[in-house]
PDB file of all heavy atoms in Angstrom:
ATOM      1  N   THR J1448     -79.611  60.605 112.314  1.00 85.00           N
ATOM      2  CA  THR J1448     -80.540  59.478 111.834  1.00 85.00           C
ATOM      3  C   THR J1448     -79.903  58.172 111.992  1.00 85.00           C
ATOM      4  O   THR J1448     -80.371  57.193 111.378  1.00 85.00           O
ATOM      5  CB  THR J1448     -80.901  59.775 110.340  1.00 85.00           C
ATOM      6  OG1 THR J1448     -79.774  59.680 109.579  1.00 85.00           O
ATOM      7  CG2 THR J1448     -81.632  61.045 110.178  1.00 85.00           C
ATOM      8  N   HIS J1450     -79.605  54.662 113.849  1.00 83.00           N
ATOM      9  CA  HIS J1450     -80.775  53.874 114.432  1.00 83.00           C
ATOM     10  C   HIS J1450     -80.850  54.157 115.947  1.00 83.00           C
ATOM     11  O   HIS J1450     -81.953  54.072 116.514  1.00 83.00           O
ATOM     12  CB  HIS J1450     -80.802  52.492 113.999  1.00 83.00           C
ATOM     13  CG  HIS J1450     -81.193  52.318 112.545  1.00 83.00           C
ATOM     14  ND1 HIS J1450     -80.336  52.391 111.573  1.00 83.00           N
ATOM     15  CD2 HIS J1450     -82.421  52.276 112.010  1.00 83.00           C
ATOM     16  CE1 HIS J1450     -80.983  52.305 110.421  1.00 83.00           C
ATOM     17  NE2 HIS J1450     -82.288  52.211 110.618  1.00 83.00           N
ATOM     18  N   ILE J1453     -82.697  57.226 116.390  1.00 86.00           N
ATOM     19  CA  ILE J1453     -84.122  57.061 115.962  1.00 86.00           C
ATOM     20  C   ILE J1453     -84.887  56.439 117.091  1.00 86.00           C
ATOM     21  O   ILE J1453     -85.956  56.858 117.457  1.00 86.00           O
ATOM     22  CB  ILE J1453     -84.255  56.205 114.634  1.00 86.00           C
ATOM     23  CG1 ILE J1453     -83.745  57.035 113.446  1.00 86.00           C
ATOM     24  CG2 ILE J1453     -85.635  55.711 114.480  1.00 86.00           C
ATOM     25  CD1 ILE J1453     -83.655  56.263 112.192  1.00 86.00           C
ATOM     26  N   ASN J1535     -94.473  55.006 112.742  1.00 98.00           N
ATOM     27  CA  ASN J1535     -93.222  54.090 112.718  1.00 98.00           C
ATOM     28  C   ASN J1535     -93.108  53.355 114.064  1.00 98.00           C
ATOM     29  O   ASN J1535     -93.136  54.051 115.124  1.00 98.00           O
ATOM     30  CB  ASN J1535     -91.917  54.840 112.479  1.00 98.00           C
ATOM     31  CG  ASN J1535     -91.850  55.524 111.066  1.00 98.00           C
ATOM     32  OD1 ASN J1535     -92.718  55.236 110.238  1.00 98.00           O
ATOM     33  ND2 ASN J1535     -90.784  56.227 110.844  1.00 98.00           N
ATOM     34  N   LEU J1555     -94.522  51.954 109.045  1.00 98.00           N
ATOM     35  CA  LEU J1555     -93.210  51.234 109.047  1.00 98.00           C
ATOM     36  C   LEU J1555     -93.052  50.490 110.389  1.00 98.00           C
ATOM     37  O   LEU J1555     -92.912  51.147 111.422  1.00 98.00           O
ATOM     38  CB  LEU J1555     -92.075  52.277 108.820  1.00 98.00           C
ATOM     39  CG  LEU J1555     -90.643  51.722 108.958  1.00 98.00           C
ATOM     40  CD1 LEU J1555     -90.342  50.659 107.845  1.00 98.00           C
ATOM     41  CD2 LEU J1555     -89.615  52.778 108.959  1.00 98.00           C
ATOM     42  N   ARG J1557     -90.386  48.370 111.894  1.00 97.00           N
ATOM     43  CA  ARG J1557     -89.024  47.933 111.621  1.00 97.00           C
ATOM     44  C   ARG J1557     -88.811  46.517 112.294  1.00 97.00           C
ATOM     45  O   ARG J1557     -88.417  46.424 113.423  1.00 97.00           O
ATOM     46  CB  ARG J1557     -88.041  48.923 112.223  1.00 97.00           C
ATOM     47  CG  ARG J1557     -88.009  50.252 111.562  1.00 97.00           C
ATOM     48  CD  ARG J1557     -86.931  51.104 112.187  1.00 97.00           C
ATOM     49  NE  ARG J1557     -86.415  52.269 111.344  1.00 97.00           N
ATOM     50  CZ  ARG J1557     -86.918  53.553 111.410  1.00 97.00           C
ATOM     51  NH1 ARG J1557     -87.762  53.853 112.317  1.00 97.00           N
ATOM     52  NH2 ARG J1557     -86.404  54.395 110.573  1.00 97.00           N
ATOM     53  N   GLU J1559     -86.713  44.300 112.177  1.00 95.00           N
ATOM     54  CA  GLU J1559     -85.428  43.812 112.633  1.00 95.00           C
ATOM     55  C   GLU J1559     -85.214  43.906 114.123  1.00 95.00           C
ATOM     56  O   GLU J1559     -84.377  43.203 114.706  1.00 95.00           O
ATOM     57  CB  GLU J1559     -84.250  44.607 111.911  1.00 95.00           C
ATOM     58  CG  GLU J1559     -84.301  46.121 112.027  1.00 95.00           C
ATOM     59  CD  GLU J1559     -85.159  46.742 110.985  1.00 95.00           C
ATOM     60  OE1 GLU J1559     -86.064  46.048 110.299  1.00 95.00           O
ATOM     61  OE2 GLU J1559     -85.181  47.951 110.884  1.00 95.00           O
ATOM     62  N   ARG J1594     -92.085  45.853 107.509  1.00 98.00           N
ATOM     63  CA  ARG J1594     -90.924  45.942 106.649  1.00 98.00           C
ATOM     64  C   ARG J1594     -90.076  44.610 106.909  1.00 98.00           C
ATOM     65  O   ARG J1594     -89.862  44.307 108.126  1.00 98.00           O
ATOM     66  CB  ARG J1594     -90.070  47.104 106.875  1.00 98.00           C
ATOM     67  CG  ARG J1594     -88.840  47.129 105.975  1.00 98.00           C
ATOM     68  CD  ARG J1594     -87.963  48.307 106.125  1.00 98.00           C
ATOM     69  NE  ARG J1594     -87.288  48.375 107.359  1.00 98.00           N
ATOM     70  CZ  ARG J1594     -86.513  49.414 107.760  1.00 98.00           C
ATOM     71  NH1 ARG J1594     -86.433  50.428 106.985  1.00 98.00           N
ATOM     72  NH2 ARG J1594     -85.950  49.381 108.890  1.00 98.00           N
ATOM     73  N   ASP J1597     -84.288  44.396 108.239  1.00 96.00           N
ATOM     74  CA  ASP J1597     -83.193  45.332 107.809  1.00 96.00           C
ATOM     75  C   ASP J1597     -82.034  45.286 108.752  1.00 96.00           C
ATOM     76  O   ASP J1597     -81.779  46.280 109.484  1.00 96.00           O
ATOM     77  CB  ASP J1597     -83.736  46.666 107.582  1.00 96.00           C
ATOM     78  CG  ASP J1597     -82.739  47.685 107.085  1.00 96.00           C
ATOM     79  OD1 ASP J1597     -81.609  47.268 106.803  1.00 96.00           O
ATOM     80  OD2 ASP J1597     -83.060  48.875 106.990  1.00 96.00           O
ATOM     81  N   LYS J1602     -77.222  48.438 112.413  1.00 82.00           N
ATOM     82  CA  LYS J1602     -78.123  47.656 113.169  1.00 82.00           C
ATOM     83  C   LYS J1602     -77.545  46.204 113.162  1.00 82.00           C
ATOM     84  O   LYS J1602     -78.120  45.312 112.426  1.00 82.00           O
ATOM     85  CB  LYS J1602     -79.531  47.641 112.473  1.00 82.00           C
ATOM     86  CG  LYS J1602     -80.280  48.934 112.889  1.00 82.00           C
ATOM     87  CD  LYS J1602     -81.691  48.840 112.250  1.00 82.00           C
ATOM     88  CE  LYS J1602     -81.680  49.094 110.800  1.00 82.00           C
ATOM     89  NZ  LYS J1602     -82.989  49.374 110.187  1.00 82.00           N
ATOM     90  N   ARG J1622     -76.643  44.110 103.773  1.00 94.00           N
ATOM     91  CA  ARG J1622     -77.629  44.768 104.663  1.00 94.00           C
ATOM     92  C   ARG J1622     -79.043  44.608 104.087  1.00 94.00           C
ATOM     93  O   ARG J1622     -79.116  44.412 102.913  1.00 94.00           O
ATOM     94  CB  ARG J1622     -77.246  46.279 104.782  1.00 94.00           C
ATOM     95  CG  ARG J1622     -77.994  47.058 105.661  1.00 94.00           C
ATOM     96  CD  ARG J1622     -77.906  48.519 105.535  1.00 94.00           C
ATOM     97  NE  ARG J1622     -79.199  49.035 105.989  1.00 94.00           N
ATOM     98  CZ  ARG J1622     -79.601  50.228 106.007  1.00 94.00           C
ATOM     99  NH1 ARG J1622     -78.781  51.227 105.557  1.00 94.00           N
ATOM    100  NH2 ARG J1622     -80.735  50.644 106.501  1.00 94.00           N
ATOM    101  N   MET J1692     -89.128  49.948  99.355  1.00 98.00           N
ATOM    102  CA  MET J1692     -88.567  51.214  99.852  1.00 98.00           C
ATOM    103  C   MET J1692     -87.676  51.821  98.796  1.00 98.00           C
ATOM    104  O   MET J1692     -86.883  51.170  98.149  1.00 98.00           O
ATOM    105  CB  MET J1692     -87.743  50.973 101.158  1.00 98.00           C
ATOM    106  CG  MET J1692     -88.678  50.618 102.297  1.00 98.00           C
ATOM    107  SD  MET J1692     -87.954  50.757 103.936  1.00 98.00           S
ATOM    108  CE  MET J1692     -87.745  52.541 104.032  1.00 98.00           C
ATOM    109  N   GLU J1694     -84.743  53.873  98.743  1.00 98.00           N
ATOM    110  CA  GLU J1694     -83.660  54.500  99.638  1.00 98.00           C
ATOM    111  C   GLU J1694     -82.321  54.400  99.051  1.00 98.00           C
ATOM    112  O   GLU J1694     -81.281  54.715  99.740  1.00 98.00           O
ATOM    113  CB  GLU J1694     -83.712  53.809 101.047  1.00 98.00           C
ATOM    114  CG  GLU J1694     -83.957  52.357 101.104  1.00 98.00           C
ATOM    115  CD  GLU J1694     -84.156  51.886 102.631  1.00 98.00           C
ATOM    116  OE1 GLU J1694     -84.153  52.617 103.513  1.00 98.00           O
ATOM    117  OE2 GLU J1694     -84.427  50.649 102.695  1.00 98.00           O
ATOM    118  N   ILE J1714     -90.617  56.006 100.708  1.00 98.00           N
ATOM    119  CA  ILE J1714     -89.298  56.673 100.560  1.00 98.00           C
ATOM    120  C   ILE J1714     -88.620  56.640 101.911  1.00 98.00           C
ATOM    121  O   ILE J1714     -89.132  57.356 102.844  1.00 98.00           O
ATOM    122  CB  ILE J1714     -89.426  58.133  99.977  1.00 98.00           C
ATOM    123  CG1 ILE J1714     -90.384  58.149  98.768  1.00 98.00           C
ATOM    124  CG2 ILE J1714     -88.072  58.722  99.683  1.00 98.00           C
ATOM    125  CD1 ILE J1714     -90.577  59.555  98.209  1.00 98.00           C
ATOM    126  N   GLY J1715     -87.576  55.996 101.958  1.00 98.00           N
ATOM    127  CA  GLY J1715     -86.696  55.922 103.192  1.00 98.00           C
ATOM    128  C   GLY J1715     -85.717  57.085 103.148  1.00 98.00           C
ATOM    129  O   GLY J1715     -84.541  56.825 102.593  1.00 98.00           O
ATOM    130  N   THR J1716     -86.010  58.242 103.568  1.00 98.00           N
ATOM    131  CA  THR J1716     -85.104  59.336 103.264  1.00 98.00           C
ATOM    132  C   THR J1716     -83.812  59.295 104.040  1.00 98.00           C
ATOM    133  O   THR J1716     -82.797  59.811 103.713  1.00 98.00           O
ATOM    134  CB  THR J1716     -85.844  60.719 103.676  1.00 98.00           C
ATOM    135  OG1 THR J1716     -86.467  60.597 104.910  1.00 98.00           O
ATOM    136  CG2 THR J1716     -86.865  61.094 102.634  1.00 98.00           C
ATOM    137  N   ASN J1717     -83.877  58.526 105.249  1.00 97.00           N
ATOM    138  CA  ASN J1717     -82.666  58.435 106.047  1.00 97.00           C
ATOM    139  C   ASN J1717     -81.515  57.818 105.182  1.00 97.00           C
ATOM    140  O   ASN J1717     -80.381  58.354 105.197  1.00 97.00           O
ATOM    141  CB  ASN J1717     -82.867  57.580 107.229  1.00 97.00           C
ATOM    142  CG  ASN J1717     -83.956  58.052 108.117  1.00 97.00           C
ATOM    143  OD1 ASN J1717     -84.320  59.214 108.004  1.00 97.00           O
ATOM    144  ND2 ASN J1717     -84.573  57.113 108.836  1.00 97.00           N
ATOM    145  N   ASP J1718     -81.919  56.771 104.467  1.00 97.00           N
ATOM    146  CA  ASP J1718     -80.882  56.105 103.684  1.00 97.00           C
ATOM    147  C   ASP J1718     -80.688  56.819 102.359  1.00 97.00           C
ATOM    148  O   ASP J1718     -79.603  56.842 101.743  1.00 97.00           O
ATOM    149  CB  ASP J1718     -81.146  54.648 103.448  1.00 97.00           C
ATOM    150  CG  ASP J1718     -80.740  53.851 104.659  1.00 97.00           C
ATOM    151  OD1 ASP J1718     -79.676  53.984 105.130  1.00 97.00           O
ATOM    152  OD2 ASP J1718     -81.477  53.005 105.188  1.00 97.00           O
ATOM    153  N   LEU J1719     -81.781  57.329 101.789  1.00 98.00           N
ATOM    154  CA  LEU J1719     -81.715  57.919 100.480  1.00 98.00           C
ATOM    155  C   LEU J1719     -80.725  59.161 100.561  1.00 98.00           C
ATOM    156  O   LEU J1719     -79.931  59.353  99.736  1.00 98.00           O
ATOM    157  CB  LEU J1719     -83.061  58.503 100.070  1.00 98.00           C
ATOM    158  CG  LEU J1719     -83.160  58.958  98.621  1.00 98.00           C
ATOM    159  CD1 LEU J1719     -82.774  57.896  97.626  1.00 98.00           C
ATOM    160  CD2 LEU J1719     -84.479  59.525  98.262  1.00 98.00           C
ATOM    161  N   ARG J1728     -74.600  57.896 107.756  1.00 92.00           N
ATOM    162  CA  ARG J1728     -75.607  58.608 108.652  1.00 92.00           C
ATOM    163  C   ARG J1728     -75.293  58.379 110.056  1.00 92.00           C
ATOM    164  O   ARG J1728     -75.831  59.066 110.914  1.00 92.00           O
ATOM    165  CB  ARG J1728     -77.015  58.158 108.260  1.00 92.00           C
ATOM    166  CG  ARG J1728     -77.187  56.569 108.532  1.00 92.00           C
ATOM    167  CD  ARG J1728     -78.519  56.065 107.977  1.00 92.00           C
ATOM    168  NE  ARG J1728     -79.527  55.939 108.935  1.00 92.00           N
ATOM    169  CZ  ARG J1728     -80.670  55.298 108.689  1.00 92.00           C
ATOM    170  NH1 ARG J1728     -80.874  54.600 107.578  1.00 92.00           N
ATOM    171  NH2 ARG J1728     -81.550  55.206 109.602  1.00 92.00           N
ATOM    172  N   CYS J1765     -91.121  57.608 104.988  1.00 98.00           N
ATOM    173  CA  CYS J1765     -91.147  56.978 106.302  1.00 98.00           C
ATOM    174  C   CYS J1765     -89.801  57.247 107.055  1.00 98.00           C
ATOM    175  O   CYS J1765     -89.534  56.789 108.085  1.00 98.00           O
ATOM    176  CB  CYS J1765     -91.417  55.525 106.289  1.00 98.00           C
ATOM    177  SG  CYS J1765     -90.234  54.563 105.359  1.00 98.00           S
ATOM    178  N   GLY J1766     -88.920  58.096 106.344  1.00 97.00           N
ATOM    179  CA  GLY J1766     -87.702  58.447 107.038  1.00 97.00           C
ATOM    180  C   GLY J1766     -87.979  59.556 108.078  1.00 97.00           C
ATOM    181  O   GLY J1766     -89.040  60.050 108.163  1.00 97.00           O
ATOM    182  N   GLU J1767     -86.917  59.955 108.674  1.00 96.00           N
ATOM    183  CA  GLU J1767     -87.088  61.028 109.804  1.00 96.00           C
ATOM    184  C   GLU J1767     -87.640  62.351 109.230  1.00 96.00           C
ATOM    185  O   GLU J1767     -88.183  63.111 109.942  1.00 96.00           O
ATOM    186  CB  GLU J1767     -85.739  61.248 110.481  1.00 96.00           C
ATOM    187  CG  GLU J1767     -85.213  60.115 111.245  1.00 96.00           C
ATOM    188  CD  GLU J1767     -86.124  59.623 112.322  1.00 96.00           C
ATOM    189  OE1 GLU J1767     -86.297  60.380 113.357  1.00 96.00           O
ATOM    190  OE2 GLU J1767     -86.828  58.638 112.140  1.00 96.00           O
TER     191      GLU J1767
HETATM  192  C1  PEP Y2211     -84.972  55.147 105.991  1.00 89.62           C
HETATM  193  O1  PEP Y2211     -83.894  54.805 105.548  1.00 89.62           O
HETATM  194  O2  PEP Y2211     -85.461  56.304 105.881  1.00 89.62           O
HETATM  195  C2  PEP Y2211     -85.756  54.219 106.734  1.00 89.62           C
HETATM  196  C3  PEP Y2211     -86.983  54.573 107.120  1.00 89.62           C
HETATM  197  O3  PEP Y2211     -85.268  53.066 107.189  1.00 89.62           O
HETATM  198  P1  PEP Y2211     -84.187  52.950 108.384  1.00 89.62           P
HETATM  199  O4  PEP Y2211     -84.149  54.232 109.032  1.00 89.62           O
HETATM  200  O5  PEP Y2211     -84.728  51.876 109.317  1.00 89.62           O
HETATM  201  O6  PEP Y2211     -82.975  52.519 107.589  1.00 89.62           O
END
Side-chain angles (χ1 to χ4, degrees):
T1448 62
H1450 286 91
I1453 287 175
N1535 289 356
L1555 176 65
R1557 289 183 162 100
E1559 55 275 13
R1594 180 175 70 183
D1597 181 2
K1602 279 183 288 194
R1622 186 195 153 182
M1692 290 198 67
E1694 42 189 355
I1714 310 175
T1716 48
N1717 305 335
D1718 279 315
L1719 189 60
R1728 63 194 262 195
C1765 64
E1767 294 302 285

